[in-house]
Every structure is written in C-alpha cells, then in structure tokens.
Amino acid sequence: MFLDLFYGLRKAGVPVALQEWRMLLESLEQGMHACSLMHFYHLSRACLVKSEVWFDAFDAVFAEVFEGVEGALDIEKEVLEWLRDPKAAEQLTAEQLAELERLTHSELMKRFLETLAEQDERHDGGGRWVGTGGRSPYGHGGVHPTGIRVGGPGRNRSAMKVAEERRFRDYRTDQTLDLRQTRVALRRLRNLTRSGNASELDLDETIDETCRNGGEIELVFRPPKRNNLRLLLLMDVGGTMDPYYEPVSRLLTALHEERGIRDFRSYYFHNCIYEHVFKTARLAASDAVPTGELFRMLNERWKVLVVGDAAMHPAELLQSYGNIDPRVVSETPGIDWLHRIAAHFNRSAWLNPDDKRYWDQTQSTRVIRRTFPMFQLSVDGISEAVQALIGARVQA
Amino acid sequence: MSSQNGFYRFTGTDDYIVSPSLVDAVNCAIALERPLLIKGEPGTGKTLLAENVASALGMPMESWHIKSTSKASEGLYVYDTVQRLNDARFGDGDVSDIRRYIHYGPLGRSFSAEERTVLLIDEIDKADLEFPNDLLLELDQMRFTVMETGDEVAARERPVVIITSNNERELPDAFLRRCVFHFIEFPERELMQKIVAVHHDNLDSKLLDQVLIKFYWLREQNDLRKKPSTSELIDWISALLKSGISQDQLESHIPFMSALLKNEQDSEALSRYDDRGGELPTQWSDLGPRYNQ
C-alpha cells in the first residue's frame, strides 16, 4: 500500500526518487508518525514533496491510495466555480431522506452526468440540479446520504478530508498565475556578460599583479556583470484580447520591473501586424511606427516576444488588403509581415492567452504556429517561451 | 522543550503559534538531522520559526541572511587576503599566521560550536542559481576543510538547519532532495485568532471578529497585487488599538488602510470599490464557506 503511494506519485508526475522515499522510511522507523494518519500525511508530504506546486497532486494521490477514492471528477471548471461557495444546507424530512437513500452510486453517477448535460446555469438550493446547499444528490454542501460531493471544501478535519480538499490547487503552475510567479519565470531571461566600464575590483588579478610587482599593491579592475538582453515586445490589443487584460497586464508589469533587461521596447497592434505598429495601446495614427523601421533600428540579436491570441479571420492574415483597420490600405498580407519579423530576428516566441487545447481549432493560429514557437500565457508557458528566446533553439 | 526517546520535540512556543503540519515537519527534520526548507507567502513568519525553534529547544542560534551577492564559501569562512596583503605591505601584525586572517562564517561557527545550534539560512533564493548546490556537501556531511591551513572543521553535534525561501527562483533538485519541505499555508480563521491573541491579548472578541472579517475579505479581492499578510494584520491591529477605534466604526469602513496595502495600485483599486458604493462585509456569513466551517 505504501508503495502504491510512491508509484502513484511518480505516475502523477511528482518528482519523487528513492532518496526521498528512504527519508520517509527513516522517519517512520523513528516512529515519527505516532500511528496517526494525520501525522503520516504531514510526514510523507514533508519528506516526499519538495514544492507546493506538487501539493495538489500529492493530495489527489494520497486520497486515492488511502481510501480507494476514485480520481476526482473532472467537471467543467465553471461548475466547480459555483460549487466552491455553497449556500447553507437545507434540512430534510425523514421521508425525503429515505427516498434519497435508495439511489446507488452508479445510478447516481449516470444521473449526475445526465443532469449536468441538461443544466445550463448556476443553481443553489432546490432538489434536482447540480448546485450548492440543495437536496439533489449532486453538488456541494447539500444533504443527501449517498450523494456525490463535487469539489468545494470538506467539513471535517481528518487527513483524508484534508487531502481530498485539494486546497493547493491554486499552486499548480499550469494555471495562469500571479505577478510574483510571472516575475520568477521571467527572471530566467537574465543572461549575464561582462561589458562596459571596468569598475569592479578583480581581487584575484590584484593579488597576482601585486605579487608580480614585488609586493607593491597594484589594483586591477574589470567590467561588472551585466545583462545583455534586449527585448522587443509586440502586443495584440482590443477585440478578442480584452478578456485577457489581467494576465497580460501582469506580464507587462513583471517585464517592466525586471531590471535585468538591458533594453526593452514595446509596440502594439490589432489582430495582426501590417505596415505599421503603434507606440501606444490606443493605436492612434500619430503613434504609428513603420514596421520596416523596427528592422532598421533593432538588430537581429533583439529577442522578440509577441503576445496575442492569433485568432482572426483567415483573410486578415493571408490576403492582401486584409487589414480591418479602415484608416489604412495594406497591400502586403499580414502573414508576410510575420514572416519578415521571424526572419529578421534570431529568436522569437509567441505567447497566446487562449487555452492551448483550442489553438488547433483556429486556422490563423495553426498558420502562425508554423512561423513562431507558440506558448500559452501561463507561468509554465512563460518559462518555456523564455527558454525558446535564450536557451537551445526549438522548432516552431 | 521536551526531550523524549533521545530526540528533541518542538511543540511551538507561547509567542509563536504553529500548525500541526509544521510541528510534524520540524520534528521530522530534527530527528532525521536534515535541513528543513520552509516556503510561504511573505509575512507568514518563516524567519521567526527559526528563532522560536532555537528558544524552544534552548539552543543558540546562528543566522545567515543571504543577499544576491552571497557566495557559499562565505558561509564557511572568509580568508581576508586584502588585510593580510595590507599588513604585509605596512608591517602590521604577524603575517605568517594565516589563521589570524581566517574568519568563520555562520556555517563555520555553527559547525565548530560546542553544543548543538540552530542554523538559519534566510532567503536562500536571493542568491545566485548555483548557490544551494555549492552547499550540498557541507550540509550533508556537516564538515569542511579550510584550504589555506588544512584545518578540518567538523560538527560535533549536527546543527538544526532551517532554510527559508520566498520562491524567487527554483532551487536545484539535488538540493531539494536532501531537505524536509514545508509550505506555510496562510493561517485560517481559527489559527489566526490564536496568533493575534499572542500579540494582542485582551482584544475584545467582537472587535477581533470585525477585524478578521475585513482582513479576510480584503485577501479575497482578486484585483489586489499584494495581499496583506499576518504581519500586516498585527501592525494594523496595533494602529487600531492605539487610535481607540470602536467596533461600530470598523463596520462601515476600513481605517488605516495604508497599514494593510503597501501598493499604490492596490489602494486605488479599493477606493474605486468604495466609490462604487460597495458594501463591506460585517459578519462571517458574508464571506465564503471557507470561513464558516
């Protein structure tokens, strides 16, 4: 059973090796678990899991191994969203309870999925729909003897309950997360080289030179380490990008605060890049900069980061005069401009706020992915994009 | 402090309230003689933990506050070459005795101590990426050699090592594998009440309720960039108490907001909420179910 935990964790992608496992066994030998599941839960987590990122996966595996609880139901996120704050539970009469008890688990499961398919809005209280605080067998915080609890916090504090609660879900890095984590991801952009004025005392050289000089102190200076990274940010604004205001603004804040970047420029566009990009998000004609100008001003060593959902009408991308901005006539199709950008700069990456699963459903996204390596705008995605910009070359 | 079965047991102190999972992690690290790695939001008392473990176990403490320029070797010892060079140049002191120019760092001091110590390595993530790896061997074996003199420093009693990290960067796997890990969760209502009681006893319970309701509500606001933490809450309560504010005054607005929100954008976001005539919660039931169990 213990080994199930070990292999379960490995299967769930939690990095656990023999060393951690031995550490746990050692602590068990010392009787640290004090024969309680709660202590065992704390101990095994402290020994086996080395980052809060994996706590959620650990909780899931622990719950499965130690109660045979089947993997948590993967319900649409939205449903979980309303189940997260249940309303007060209704009190049931004895007859109602008896009636409800007749349902078996598999029947319930079947009807749960059927009900979920029929239902189309949030629901609290009541006796049929999936919701909170109701008498329906499905949902959260409700009164039903054999019901299916769907997400949300548990009521009692046992190890199983704690594990089942999955309180660490927010720490998973595959979700779009907060500013601090974005900053951590971006920190990898640092690429230190020595350049500029010699202003730092080089102690080793000083000693060597002093010795060579017969004990007469000879100070040697060297240039300090500096980040040599230059970053060009191109951002899609307006329209389909509006819902992503929050994550994009976090990325921007983090980029501005990243002091390690030597030079940073950002320009805006709407949907696709044509003859002009804009200095401000208002995309006013007076702020326009010819895209060709970028190639003149910035050499190929600049790293390019494009932020956009890459979702547009195929004509906007692929046809001449495809620009939907009524103020200008763009003879060259957008895709040509994108090709030129990818060709001029050595490294580029595209961050897409849309869910990765839907990328392939949009034609324009599929086409753009052939030109730019595309990553999701999440903490993991940003790390990967940074890797694509400074690490080993990856195929678009 | 209590010592049973030959090893120390930490149970928290009067001034420092710990969750059961943290107690287990601390005791596990002490028993296994492994470093304990503590992560958590800023302001959840990571650094304080080491001080309290030291005082609870009656051990002296060494702390090493890591900066971005810290090097692993500095924790062991520093060989003051420039001083020696200078002394040689100007003929001060006995230059031939290298030991005079070897200064032990926090690690060196705690290894060479007569009794078991608590060693705090604070904010290890601030240092260079390779920093933790450079310490692997020393932390494993609790011994090192001073290269210049050939002296070996070995710990008679393995110190209790507590390492804190703010998650500014990922720590190397090899390093993590050797540590016992604990993540300090943000305290929930019950634990928070105990923590506040440690700092401000005799606080009126109704006032405390109002304070905590406002505090947790603030933390739930998603547009805040920096959520207020425990240490800010304690400061805020101090400010409230000094100004002698009453429970009624707290119901409708949040005074001394600057004690809680340290960021201009956050203060603005909240004042917008006020302008919209948003209502503040006055009872626990106004908050989500997490607070009403």
Short mmCIF file of all heavy atoms in Angstrom, two decimals, chain B residues 120-174:
data_model
loop_
_atom_site.label_atom_id
_atom_site.label_comp_id
_atom_site.label_asym_id
_atom_site.label_seq_id
_atom_site.Cartn_x
_atom_site.Cartn_y
_atom_site.Cartn_z
N LEU B 120 20.05 29.24 10.85
CA LEU B 120 19.05 29.76 9.92
C LEU B 120 19.75 30.28 8.68
O LEU B 120 20.64 31.11 8.76
CB LEU B 120 18.27 30.91 10.59
CG LEU B 120 17.43 31.77 9.65
CD1 LEU B 120 16.23 30.99 9.13
CD2 LEU B 120 16.97 33.04 10.33
N ILE B 121 19.34 29.73 7.53
CA ILE B 121 19.83 30.28 6.26
C ILE B 121 18.63 30.97 5.65
O ILE B 121 17.70 30.33 5.15
CB ILE B 121 20.38 29.17 5.35
CG1 ILE B 121 21.50 28.42 6.08
CG2 ILE B 121 20.89 29.77 4.06
CD1 ILE B 121 22.12 27.30 5.26
N ASP B 122 18.61 32.30 5.71
CA ASP B 122 17.40 33.05 5.40
C ASP B 122 17.38 33.49 3.95
O ASP B 122 18.33 34.05 3.44
CB ASP B 122 17.35 34.27 6.32
CG ASP B 122 15.93 34.75 6.52
OD1 ASP B 122 15.01 34.00 6.17
OD2 ASP B 122 15.75 35.86 7.02
N GLU B 123 16.25 33.23 3.30
CA GLU B 123 16.02 33.65 1.91
C GLU B 123 17.10 33.16 0.97
O GLU B 123 17.74 33.94 0.26
CB GLU B 123 15.88 35.17 1.85
CG GLU B 123 14.81 35.66 2.80
CD GLU B 123 14.40 37.09 2.54
OE1 GLU B 123 14.64 37.58 1.44
OE2 GLU B 123 13.83 37.69 3.45
N ILE B 124 17.24 31.86 0.93
CA ILE B 124 18.29 31.24 0.12
C ILE B 124 18.10 31.53 -1.37
O ILE B 124 19.05 31.52 -2.15
CB ILE B 124 18.35 29.72 0.38
CG1 ILE B 124 19.63 29.13 -0.19
CG2 ILE B 124 17.11 29.03 -0.19
CD1 ILE B 124 19.93 27.75 0.31
N ASP B 125 16.85 31.81 -1.75
CA ASP B 125 16.56 32.02 -3.17
C ASP B 125 17.09 33.35 -3.69
O ASP B 125 17.07 33.60 -4.88
CB ASP B 125 15.06 31.92 -3.41
CG ASP B 125 14.29 32.80 -2.47
OD1 ASP B 125 14.76 33.03 -1.35
OD2 ASP B 125 13.20 33.26 -2.85
N LYS B 126 17.55 34.23 -2.77
CA LYS B 126 18.06 35.52 -3.24
C LYS B 126 19.41 35.38 -3.91
O LYS B 126 19.80 36.22 -4.70
CB LYS B 126 18.22 36.47 -2.05
CG LYS B 126 16.96 37.22 -1.74
CD LYS B 126 17.32 38.48 -1.01
CE LYS B 126 16.09 39.13 -0.44
NZ LYS B 126 16.42 39.77 0.84
N ALA B 127 20.13 34.33 -3.55
CA ALA B 127 21.49 34.19 -4.05
C ALA B 127 21.50 33.66 -5.48
O ALA B 127 20.47 33.41 -6.08
CB ALA B 127 22.26 33.25 -3.15
N ASP B 128 22.70 33.50 -5.98
CA ASP B 128 22.88 33.00 -7.33
C ASP B 128 22.28 31.60 -7.49
O ASP B 128 22.12 30.88 -6.52
CB ASP B 128 24.39 32.95 -7.59
CG ASP B 128 24.67 32.72 -9.04
OD1 ASP B 128 24.37 33.64 -9.82
OD2 ASP B 128 25.15 31.63 -9.40
N LEU B 129 21.96 31.23 -8.73
CA LEU B 129 21.33 29.94 -9.01
C LEU B 129 22.11 28.76 -8.46
O LEU B 129 21.54 27.78 -7.99
CB LEU B 129 21.19 29.76 -10.52
CG LEU B 129 19.96 30.36 -11.18
CD1 LEU B 129 20.03 30.17 -12.68
CD2 LEU B 129 18.70 29.74 -10.62
N GLU B 130 23.44 28.85 -8.52
CA GLU B 130 24.27 27.71 -8.15
C GLU B 130 24.51 27.62 -6.64
O GLU B 130 25.04 26.64 -6.14
CB GLU B 130 25.62 27.79 -8.87
CG GLU B 130 25.52 27.43 -10.33
CD GLU B 130 24.86 26.07 -10.53
OE1 GLU B 130 25.27 25.11 -9.85
OE2 GLU B 130 23.94 25.97 -11.34
N PHE B 131 24.12 28.67 -5.94
CA PHE B 131 24.44 28.77 -4.53
C PHE B 131 24.06 27.53 -3.71
O PHE B 131 24.90 26.97 -3.01
CB PHE B 131 23.78 30.04 -3.96
CG PHE B 131 23.99 30.26 -2.51
CD1 PHE B 131 25.09 30.96 -2.06
CD2 PHE B 131 23.10 29.76 -1.58
CE1 PHE B 131 25.29 31.18 -0.71
CE2 PHE B 131 23.28 29.97 -0.23
CZ PHE B 131 24.38 30.68 0.20
N PRO B 132 22.81 27.05 -3.79
CA PRO B 132 22.45 25.90 -2.96
C PRO B 132 23.29 24.67 -3.27
O PRO B 132 23.67 23.92 -2.37
CB PRO B 132 20.98 25.65 -3.30
CG PRO B 132 20.49 26.93 -3.88
CD PRO B 132 21.66 27.53 -4.58
N ASN B 133 23.62 24.48 -4.56
CA ASN B 133 24.43 23.32 -4.94
C ASN B 133 25.81 23.36 -4.31
O ASN B 133 26.37 22.33 -3.95
CB ASN B 133 24.58 23.26 -6.46
CG ASN B 133 23.39 22.59 -7.10
OD1 ASN B 133 22.68 21.84 -6.42
ND2 ASN B 133 23.15 22.86 -8.36
N ASP B 134 26.33 24.58 -4.17
CA ASP B 134 27.66 24.72 -3.59
C ASP B 134 27.68 24.31 -2.12
O ASP B 134 28.74 24.04 -1.57
CB ASP B 134 28.15 26.17 -3.72
CG ASP B 134 28.35 26.54 -5.18
OD1 ASP B 134 28.35 25.62 -6.01
OD2 ASP B 134 28.49 27.74 -5.48
N LEU B 135 26.50 24.30 -1.50
CA LEU B 135 26.45 23.98 -0.08
C LEU B 135 26.12 22.52 0.19
O LEU B 135 26.14 22.07 1.33
CB LEU B 135 25.37 24.84 0.59
CG LEU B 135 25.72 26.28 0.89
CD1 LEU B 135 24.53 26.98 1.45
CD2 LEU B 135 26.89 26.34 1.86
N LEU B 136 25.79 21.78 -0.89
CA LEU B 136 25.29 20.40 -0.72
C LEU B 136 26.17 19.56 0.18
O LEU B 136 25.72 18.98 1.17
CB LEU B 136 25.21 19.71 -2.09
CG LEU B 136 23.98 20.00 -2.92
CD1 LEU B 136 23.99 19.13 -4.15
CD2 LEU B 136 22.74 19.77 -2.08
N LEU B 137 27.45 19.49 -0.17
CA LEU B 137 28.35 18.60 0.53
C LEU B 137 28.48 19.00 1.99
O LEU B 137 28.40 18.17 2.90
CB LEU B 137 29.72 18.64 -0.16
CG LEU B 137 30.68 17.57 0.32
CD1 LEU B 137 30.21 16.22 -0.19
CD2 LEU B 137 32.08 17.85 -0.16
N GLU B 138 28.64 20.29 2.23
CA GLU B 138 28.84 20.78 3.59
C GLU B 138 27.61 20.49 4.45
O GLU B 138 27.73 20.10 5.60
CB GLU B 138 29.14 22.27 3.58
CG GLU B 138 30.57 22.61 3.19
CD GLU B 138 30.80 22.52 1.69
OE1 GLU B 138 29.80 22.44 0.95
OE2 GLU B 138 31.97 22.52 1.26
N LEU B 139 26.41 20.69 3.86
CA LEU B 139 25.21 20.46 4.64
C LEU B 139 24.99 18.96 4.88
O LEU B 139 24.41 18.56 5.88
CB LEU B 139 23.99 21.06 3.95
CG LEU B 139 23.88 22.58 4.03
CD1 LEU B 139 22.65 23.06 3.29
CD2 LEU B 139 23.83 23.04 5.48
N ASP B 140 25.43 18.14 3.93
CA ASP B 140 25.27 16.70 4.07
C ASP B 140 26.18 16.16 5.17
O ASP B 140 25.76 15.42 6.03
CB ASP B 140 25.66 16.03 2.74
CG ASP B 140 24.47 15.36 2.12
OD1 ASP B 140 23.36 15.58 2.63
OD2 ASP B 140 24.65 14.65 1.12
N GLN B 141 27.45 16.55 5.08
CA GLN B 141 28.44 15.96 5.97
C GLN B 141 28.70 16.80 7.20
O GLN B 141 29.30 16.33 8.15
CB GLN B 141 29.75 15.76 5.21
CG GLN B 141 29.54 14.93 3.96
CD GLN B 141 30.83 14.55 3.32
OE1 GLN B 141 31.87 15.14 3.60
NE2 GLN B 141 30.79 13.56 2.45
N MET B 142 28.27 18.06 7.15
CA MET B 142 28.47 18.99 8.26
C MET B 142 29.95 19.08 8.62
O MET B 142 30.32 19.05 9.78
CB MET B 142 27.65 18.56 9.50
CG MET B 142 26.17 18.48 9.23
SD MET B 142 25.37 20.06 9.37
CE MET B 142 23.66 19.61 9.03
N ARG B 143 30.77 19.13 7.62
CA ARG B 143 32.21 19.33 7.83
C ARG B 143 32.81 20.00 6.61
O ARG B 143 32.25 19.92 5.51
CB ARG B 143 32.90 18.00 8.09
CG ARG B 143 32.93 17.07 6.86
CD ARG B 143 33.85 15.90 7.10
NE ARG B 143 33.30 15.02 8.13
CZ ARG B 143 34.04 14.46 9.07
NH1 ARG B 143 35.32 14.70 9.14
NH2 ARG B 143 33.49 13.64 9.93
N PHE B 144 33.91 20.69 6.80
CA PHE B 144 34.63 21.28 5.67
C PHE B 144 36.08 21.50 6.07
O PHE B 144 36.41 21.43 7.26
CB PHE B 144 33.98 22.59 5.22
CG PHE B 144 34.04 23.69 6.22
CD1 PHE B 144 35.08 24.61 6.19
CD2 PHE B 144 33.06 23.83 7.21
CE1 PHE B 144 35.15 25.64 7.13
CE2 PHE B 144 33.13 24.85 8.14
CZ PHE B 144 34.17 25.76 8.10
N THR B 145 36.90 21.74 5.08
CA THR B 145 38.32 21.95 5.35
C THR B 145 38.68 23.38 4.96
O THR B 145 38.26 23.86 3.91
CB THR B 145 39.16 20.96 4.51
OG1 THR B 145 38.65 19.65 4.75
CG2 THR B 145 40.62 21.03 4.89
N VAL B 146 39.41 24.04 5.83
CA VAL B 146 39.92 25.37 5.47
C VAL B 146 41.12 25.14 4.58
O VAL B 146 42.14 24.62 5.02
CB VAL B 146 40.31 26.15 6.74
CG1 VAL B 146 40.84 27.53 6.35
CG2 VAL B 146 39.12 26.28 7.68
N MET B 147 40.98 25.50 3.32
CA MET B 147 42.02 25.15 2.35
C MET B 147 43.36 25.78 2.68
O MET B 147 44.39 25.15 2.53
CB MET B 147 41.58 25.59 0.96
CG MET B 147 40.67 24.58 0.30
SD MET B 147 40.53 24.88 -1.44
CE MET B 147 39.86 26.51 -1.49
N GLU B 148 43.34 27.01 3.14
CA GLU B 148 44.58 27.74 3.36
C GLU B 148 45.42 27.13 4.47
O GLU B 148 46.64 27.23 4.47
CB GLU B 148 44.30 29.21 3.67
CG GLU B 148 43.90 30.03 2.44
CD GLU B 148 42.48 29.79 2.00
OE1 GLU B 148 41.77 29.03 2.70
OE2 GLU B 148 42.09 30.31 0.96
N THR B 149 44.77 26.51 5.47
CA THR B 149 45.52 25.99 6.61
C THR B 149 45.47 24.48 6.70
O THR B 149 46.26 23.88 7.42
CB THR B 149 44.95 26.54 7.93
OG1 THR B 149 43.58 26.13 8.03
CG2 THR B 149 45.02 28.05 7.99
N GLY B 150 44.52 23.86 5.99
CA GLY B 150 44.36 22.42 6.09
C GLY B 150 43.60 21.99 7.32
O GLY B 150 43.42 20.80 7.59
N ASP B 151 43.09 22.94 8.11
CA ASP B 151 42.30 22.59 9.28
C ASP B 151 40.95 22.02 8.87
O ASP B 151 40.32 22.54 7.96
CB ASP B 151 42.01 23.85 10.14
CG ASP B 151 43.28 24.38 10.76
OD1 ASP B 151 44.30 23.65 10.69
OD2 ASP B 151 43.25 25.50 11.30
N GLU B 152 40.51 20.99 9.57
CA GLU B 152 39.17 20.48 9.28
C GLU B 152 38.20 20.91 10.37
O GLU B 152 38.51 20.80 11.56
CB GLU B 152 39.18 18.95 9.18
CG GLU B 152 37.82 18.49 8.68
CD GLU B 152 37.72 17.00 8.52
OE1 GLU B 152 37.88 16.29 9.52
OE2 GLU B 152 37.48 16.56 7.38
N VAL B 153 37.07 21.43 9.94
CA VAL B 153 36.04 21.81 10.90
C VAL B 153 34.91 20.81 10.74
O VAL B 153 34.34 20.69 9.65
CB VAL B 153 35.52 23.24 10.62
CG1 VAL B 153 34.44 23.60 11.61
CG2 VAL B 153 36.66 24.22 10.68
N ALA B 154 34.60 20.03 11.77
CA ALA B 154 33.52 19.06 11.68
C ALA B 154 32.57 19.29 12.84
O ALA B 154 33.01 19.56 13.97
CB ALA B 154 34.08 17.64 11.73
N ALA B 155 31.27 19.19 12.56
CA ALA B 155 30.29 19.45 13.62
C ALA B 155 30.26 18.28 14.59
O ALA B 155 30.14 17.13 14.18
CB ALA B 155 28.92 19.66 12.99
N ARG B 156 30.39 18.59 15.87
CA ARG B 156 30.27 17.54 16.88
C ARG B 156 28.80 17.13 16.98
O ARG B 156 28.46 15.98 17.05
CB ARG B 156 30.76 18.07 18.22
CG ARG B 156 31.85 17.25 18.84
CD ARG B 156 32.61 18.07 19.84
NE ARG B 156 33.26 19.20 19.19
CZ ARG B 156 33.89 20.16 19.85
NH1 ARG B 156 33.93 20.15 21.16
NH2 ARG B 156 34.48 21.14 19.21
N GLU B 157 27.95 18.13 17.02
CA GLU B 157 26.51 17.90 17.04
C GLU B 157 25.96 18.53 15.78
O GLU B 157 26.17 19.71 15.55
CB GLU B 157 25.89 18.61 18.26
CG GLU B 157 26.34 18.05 19.57
CD GLU B 157 25.32 17.06 20.11
OE1 GLU B 157 24.41 16.66 19.33
OE2 GLU B 157 25.43 16.69 21.29
N ARG B 158 25.24 17.74 14.97
CA ARG B 158 24.74 18.32 13.72
C ARG B 158 23.72 19.41 14.04
O ARG B 158 22.74 19.16 14.73
CB ARG B 158 24.08 17.23 12.88
CG ARG B 158 25.08 16.24 12.29
CD ARG B 158 24.35 15.10 11.63
NE ARG B 158 23.70 15.50 10.40
CZ ARG B 158 24.26 15.35 9.19
NH1 ARG B 158 25.46 14.85 9.08
NH2 ARG B 158 23.60 15.71 8.12
N PRO B 159 23.95 20.63 13.54
CA PRO B 159 23.01 21.71 13.85
C PRO B 159 21.64 21.46 13.21
O PRO B 159 21.53 20.71 12.23
CB PRO B 159 23.67 22.95 13.24
CG PRO B 159 24.77 22.48 12.38
CD PRO B 159 25.09 21.07 12.75
N VAL B 160 20.62 22.05 13.80
CA VAL B 160 19.29 22.02 13.20
C VAL B 160 19.27 23.13 12.15
O VAL B 160 19.34 24.30 12.48
CB VAL B 160 18.20 22.31 14.25
CG1 VAL B 160 16.83 22.34 13.60
CG2 VAL B 160 18.26 21.28 15.36
N VAL B 161 19.23 22.74 10.87
CA VAL B 161 19.33 23.74 9.81
C VAL B 161 17.94 24.11 9.31
O VAL B 161 17.16 23.23 8.93
CB VAL B 161 20.19 23.21 8.64
CG1 VAL B 161 20.34 24.28 7.58
CG2 VAL B 161 21.54 22.75 9.13
N ILE B 162 17.62 25.38 9.34
CA ILE B 162 16.33 25.84 8.82
C ILE B 162 16.60 26.82 7.70
O ILE B 162 17.33 27.80 7.87
CB ILE B 162 15.50 26.48 9.95
CG1 ILE B 162 15.16 25.41 10.98
CG2 ILE B 162 14.23 27.11 9.38
CD1 ILE B 162 14.38 25.91 12.15
N ILE B 163 16.04 26.52 6.55
CA ILE B 163 16.30 27.32 5.36
C ILE B 163 14.98 27.94 4.90
O ILE B 163 13.97 27.24 4.82
CB ILE B 163 16.88 26.43 4.23
CG1 ILE B 163 18.17 25.78 4.71
CG2 ILE B 163 17.11 27.23 2.97
CD1 ILE B 163 18.67 24.70 3.78
N THR B 164 14.95 29.23 4.64
CA THR B 164 13.70 29.82 4.15
C THR B 164 13.88 30.26 2.71
O THR B 164 14.99 30.56 2.27
CB THR B 164 13.26 31.04 4.97
OG1 THR B 164 14.15 32.12 4.70
CG2 THR B 164 13.26 30.74 6.45
N SER B 165 12.77 30.24 1.99
CA SER B 165 12.80 30.66 0.59
C SER B 165 11.52 31.41 0.27
O SER B 165 10.44 31.03 0.70
CB SER B 165 12.93 29.43 -0.31
OG SER B 165 12.61 29.78 -1.64
N ASN B 166 11.65 32.49 -0.48
CA ASN B 166 10.47 33.24 -0.91
C ASN B 166 10.04 32.85 -2.31
O ASN B 166 9.24 33.54 -2.93
CB ASN B 166 10.77 34.74 -0.91
CG ASN B 166 10.57 35.33 0.45
OD1 ASN B 166 9.69 34.88 1.18
ND2 ASN B 166 11.36 36.30 0.80
N ASN B 167 10.62 31.79 -2.82
CA ASN B 167 10.24 31.34 -4.13
C ASN B 167 10.64 32.29 -5.24
O ASN B 167 9.95 32.38 -6.25
CB ASN B 167 8.72 31.15 -4.19
CG ASN B 167 8.38 29.89 -4.92
OD1 ASN B 167 9.27 29.20 -5.41
ND2 ASN B 167 7.10 29.58 -5.01
N GLU B 168 11.70 33.05 -5.05
CA GLU B 168 12.09 33.95 -6.13
C GLU B 168 12.71 33.18 -7.28
O GLU B 168 12.70 33.62 -8.41
CB GLU B 168 13.07 35.00 -5.62
CG GLU B 168 12.37 36.04 -4.79
CD GLU B 168 13.15 37.32 -4.68
OE1 GLU B 168 14.05 37.53 -5.50
OE2 GLU B 168 12.85 38.09 -3.77
N ARG B 169 13.28 32.06 -6.97
CA ARG B 169 13.73 31.21 -8.07
C ARG B 169 13.67 29.76 -7.61
O ARG B 169 13.64 29.46 -6.43
CB ARG B 169 15.13 31.58 -8.53
CG ARG B 169 16.19 31.40 -7.47
CD ARG B 169 17.54 31.65 -8.06
NE ARG B 169 17.88 33.06 -8.00
CZ ARG B 169 18.45 33.73 -8.98
NH1 ARG B 169 18.69 33.14 -10.12
NH2 ARG B 169 18.78 34.98 -8.86
N GLU B 170 13.68 28.88 -8.60
CA GLU B 170 13.60 27.46 -8.30
C GLU B 170 14.92 27.01 -7.68
O GLU B 170 15.99 27.42 -8.10
CB GLU B 170 13.39 26.69 -9.60
CG GLU B 170 12.14 27.07 -10.31
CD GLU B 170 11.12 25.96 -10.25
OE1 GLU B 170 11.52 24.80 -10.08
OE2 GLU B 170 9.93 26.28 -10.36
N LEU B 171 14.82 26.13 -6.71
CA LEU B 171 16.04 25.59 -6.13
C LEU B 171 16.39 24.29 -6.86
O LEU B 171 15.51 23.60 -7.35
CB LEU B 171 15.81 25.33 -4.64
CG LEU B 171 15.49 26.60 -3.86
CD1 LEU B 171 15.03 26.27 -2.46
CD2 LEU B 171 16.67 27.53 -3.82
N PRO B 172 17.67 23.97 -6.93
CA PRO B 172 18.08 22.77 -7.68
C PRO B 172 17.53 21.48 -7.03
O PRO B 172 17.42 21.39 -5.81
CB PRO B 172 19.60 22.79 -7.62
CG PRO B 172 19.99 23.89 -6.71
CD PRO B 172 18.81 24.73 -6.43
N ASP B 173 17.21 20.51 -7.89
CA ASP B 173 16.61 19.25 -7.42
C ASP B 173 17.48 18.54 -6.40
O ASP B 173 16.98 18.03 -5.39
CB ASP B 173 16.36 18.31 -8.59
CG ASP B 173 15.16 18.75 -9.39
OD1 ASP B 173 14.41 19.61 -8.87
OD2 ASP B 173 14.97 18.27 -10.51
N ALA B 174 18.77 18.49 -6.68
CA ALA B 174 19.67 17.74 -5.79
C ALA B 174 19.62 18.33 -4.39
O ALA B 174 19.68 17.61 -3.39
CB ALA B 174 21.10 17.81 -6.32
#
